[in-house]
Amino acid sequence: MDAPEPAAARDQELRARLAAGDEDALAEVYDLFSPLVYGLARRVTADAEAAGDVTQEVFVGLWERPLAFDPAKGSLRTWLATLAHRRAVDWVRRESRHRRPPPVIDREGNGHHGVEEEVLEGELARGVRRGLTGLPPNLREVLELAYYRGLTYREVAVALGIPEGTAKSRIRSALARLARDLEREGLTS
């Protein structure tokens, strides 16, 4: 009876097969790790459809860039779980940006947002637009991609042809500067 193959050797072998375009290797990885990836995505997103999308993204990403996984840095299981978590968190962030508070229901049963809320939202939106126009072009560009187009910092980096760390740093700097501007205008606390 053969001894079970160590995970590290299996991971290296799967990586090499994936890099060679072996579809059976992808099927093997999917069979081994899709329950983990889907389960993690489902816990983070609390949405079955989103978890399915995240799972698909993770495995398509592995298929397209198998050499991104480095067995010297950790196991394939851990790497896939990390990708799933990051993509699920990105999904949650995108979703939370698109949600608005529920409308106020009046006596006639019509839904609308309160007048105060609409005025404050309008003033805040104008403040954000003013703040964006005051940002240097490189900071304004990353915020527009991240918040208006819904790109992750990694996708922003690819779109602009800059390192991921630079994209992340610019987004943080732009948000901090925008927050200071809005606070100075009395639009945030």
Side-chain angles (χ1 to χ4, degrees), residues 69-124:
F69 164 62
D70 183 355
K73 293 182 180 177
S75 72
L76 182 56
R77 174 185 174 82
T78 302
W79 187 74
L80 290 170
T82 301
L83 283 181
H85 184 264
R86 286 179 183 161
R87 293 199 183 223
V89 168
D90 289 341
W91 182 89
V92 169
R93 286 180 180 152
R94 279 192 307 270
E95 282 301 300
S96 67
R97 273 186 290 216
H98 300 303
R99 292 200 179 124
R100 289 187 67 179
V104 175
I105 307 297
D106 62 19
R107 289 183 186 182
E108 289 79 37
N110 299 317
H112 58 86
H113 291 278
V115 174
E116 283 182 40
E117 183 181 327
E118 288 184 18
V119 169
L120 289 174
E121 283 180 3
E123 195 55 39
L124 182 59

